[in-house]
Amino acid sequence: MNEELHERIRDLVRAIPPGHVSTYGDIAAMAGASTPRLVGRVLREDGHDLPWHRVLRATGVPAPHIVRRQLELLRAEGVLADGDRVDLRRYRWSG
């Protein structure tokens, strides 16, 4: 991945406002990335200073290894989940 794409992904994640979420696929499409997996890679390797918790799977469900922490952070911003699923129709940010 080139540096320009990396920074576009970071900028888009940073732009998701509190109280909203986006999906890995949404961010990938906006950034021009070939796959949503690149968004996950950026967040995993260089996302500690970003609101990573606002990025979800296409189903509105966090990844299993971070589900509790992610839903806790989202809840603090007013994003409520039904079980482990966030209603994307209600909370989705489209840039």
Side-chain angles (χ1 to χ4, degrees), residues 2-87:
N2 67 44
E3 185 67 25
E4 185 178 318
L5 176 58
H6 180 96
E7 288 307 316
R8 271 198 314 267
I9 290 170
R10 285 182 48 82
D11 288 345
L12 285 163
V13 172
R14 188 179 297 110
I16 303 168
H20 292 83
V21 297
S22 195
T23 68
Y24 293 98
D26 292 340
I27 299 297
M30 287 185 263
S34 60
T35 175
R37 291 181 184 271
L38 290 177
V39 176
R41 180 174 152 200
V42 168
L43 291 177
R44 183 178 59 251
E45 295 174 0
D46 189 30
H48 64 280
D49 62 332
L50 298 174
W52 59 268
H53 60 282
R54 297 180 189 148
V55 183
L56 300 166
R57 293 172 166 184
T59 58
V61 176
H65 66 286
I66 57 173
V67 66
R68 288 184 199 269
R69 180 68 178 140
Q70 190 165 15
L71 291 177
E72 174 184 293
L73 291 168
L74 289 172
R75 209 173 11 260
E77 295 182 350
V79 176
L80 304 177
D82 182 9
D84 290 345
R85 185 179 311 274
V86 171
D87 183 353

